[in-house]
Amino acid sequence: MAVFGSVCVTVILNLCVLGVQTLDLLRATATSGNPPSTPTVHCWCANYPNSTLCSWPEPYDFPPIHYVATYSERHGQRVTECHLIPPSSSSPTSQQFWHCHLPNLKLLTNYIINVTAVYSGGSSSHLTSFMLEDIVKPDPPVHVRVSPRNIKDLLVEWSPPPTWDNLDIFPLKYQLLYQWENRDTPRSVNDFFKQLGPLESTRVELKGLTAGRTYRFQVCATELLGLGKCSDWSSPVEITIPRTKP
């Protein structure tokens, strides 16, 4: 429904794919002026199955008066209001994000979260569904360290993300990415890379690397059985292989 000019504007976008258990419903209603911005909600589980967060950006131009966020089992009757966490940064130059904490979700259960932004002239909602196992995404590994073993060999080690506290029950596996630059071409500098994994260990020895070359290493973590997706890459660590003596 749309009444242009001043009275009421309603915009609804509905995407529902029952076969893969996904549902997205965007609804915006304004009593005057332009329709308010609809929250873009993203959910992930960084500590399976204990900690799930959903987030959405605060609009730059027209922030709402407040948000209302609730969640429920997809076919259940009980609706729970989730704990809202306001943006922590006050910098006007960076994007501000709201977070919603969803504790103690059930395994293998479809959930629906409804985030509504309330404005003086109307409201805007984003309704989306998810299953916990589909949104698992650990935080990145930490304390990546690289040490020489021999002239052309390196040992790369790292630690699991500290926020993942169920390693005994839900182990992690890792992928190692290492990159280098090829400066032999006359016209450009090309980045090359190799990716190793999955690795259940938190260390790997690399042999036969090139003397004089600088390598950059990063690691990502994923649940051992492949639930969800890999974490973001860890902060890069660089090391230059020393040249052999003539």
Side-chain angles (χ1 to χ4, degrees):
M1 175 177 65
V3 178
F4 298 99
S6 62
V7 181
C8 182
V9 179
T10 299
V11 178
I12 297 176
L13 171 61
N14 188 15
L15 169 64
C16 183
V17 184
L18 296 178
V20 294
Q21 297 295 318
T22 65
L23 176 149
D24 276 285
L25 174 65
L26 311 180
R27 181 184 180 92
T29 302
T31 57
S32 62
N34 296 322
S37 299
T38 302
T40 303
V41 182
H42 169 66
C43 299
W44 73 99
C45 177
N47 182 21
Y48 181 77
N50 296 331
S51 180
T52 300
L53 283 175
C54 296
S55 72
W56 57 93
E58 177 89 306
Y60 281 115
D61 50 351
F62 186 32
I65 299 173
H66 67 273
Y67 290 99
V68 177
T70 60
Y71 64 99
S72 64
E73 294 182 29
R74 185 164 186 175
H75 301 294
Q77 300 297 320
R78 180 183 177 186
V79 176
T80 303
E81 188 170 347
C82 63
H83 175 61
L84 288 176
I85 305 171
S88 58
S89 173
S90 58
S91 172
T93 60
S94 61
Q95 180 71 70
Q96 307 293 298
F97 283 87
W98 283 81
H99 291 84
C100 171
H101 182 221
L102 288 66
N104 304 319
L105 299 185
K106 297 178 182 178
L107 305 184
L108 301 173
T109 303
N110 280 297
Y111 284 91
I112 294 178
I113 181 169
N114 184 356
V115 177
T116 299
V118 180
Y119 297 84
S120 59
S123 65
S124 180
S125 298
H126 186 165
L127 189 70
T128 188
S129 70
F130 64 87
M131 183 179 285
L132 193 57
E133 287 72 19
D134 294 333
I135 62 168
V136 174
K137 184 182 179 181
D139 288 330
V142 297
H143 305 143
V144 179
R145 48 209 183 273
V146 183
S147 54
R149 302 291 280 182
N150 295 307
I151 293 178
K152 295 184 178 180
D153 300 344
L154 290 176
L155 177 65
V156 185
E157 302 174 281
W158 57 89
S159 300
T163 50
W164 190 275
D165 57 15
N166 284 321
L167 278 171
D168 293 339
I169 304 175
F170 301 106
L172 294 173
K173 59 185 178 183
Y174 305 91
Q175 294 183 41
L176 172 67
L177 175 70
Y178 62 105
Q179 300 172 279
W180 64 93
E181 293 180 347
N182 179 15
R183 299 184 181 275
D184 297 331
T185 56
R187 292 184 300 175
S188 63
V189 175
N190 299 318
D191 282 337
F192 289 78
F193 70 91
K194 286 186 178 180
Q195 190 165 314
L196 301 180
L199 308 168
E200 297 181 33
S201 173
T202 57
R203 54 186 288 164
V204 63
E205 188 171 358
L206 303 176
K207 297 180 178 292
L209 301 179
T210 301
R213 177 176 287 171
T214 298
Y215 291 89
R216 181 169 61 251
F217 297 89
Q218 292 175 280
V219 186
C220 77
T222 187
E223 197 273 335
L224 182 63
L225 298 180
L227 298 179
K229 59 183 179 180
C230 215
S231 70
D232 293 336
W233 291 105
S234 63
S235 299
V237 174
E238 292 188 354
I239 189 171
T240 300
I241 307 296
R243 295 186 179 277
T244 57
K245 294 181 180 181

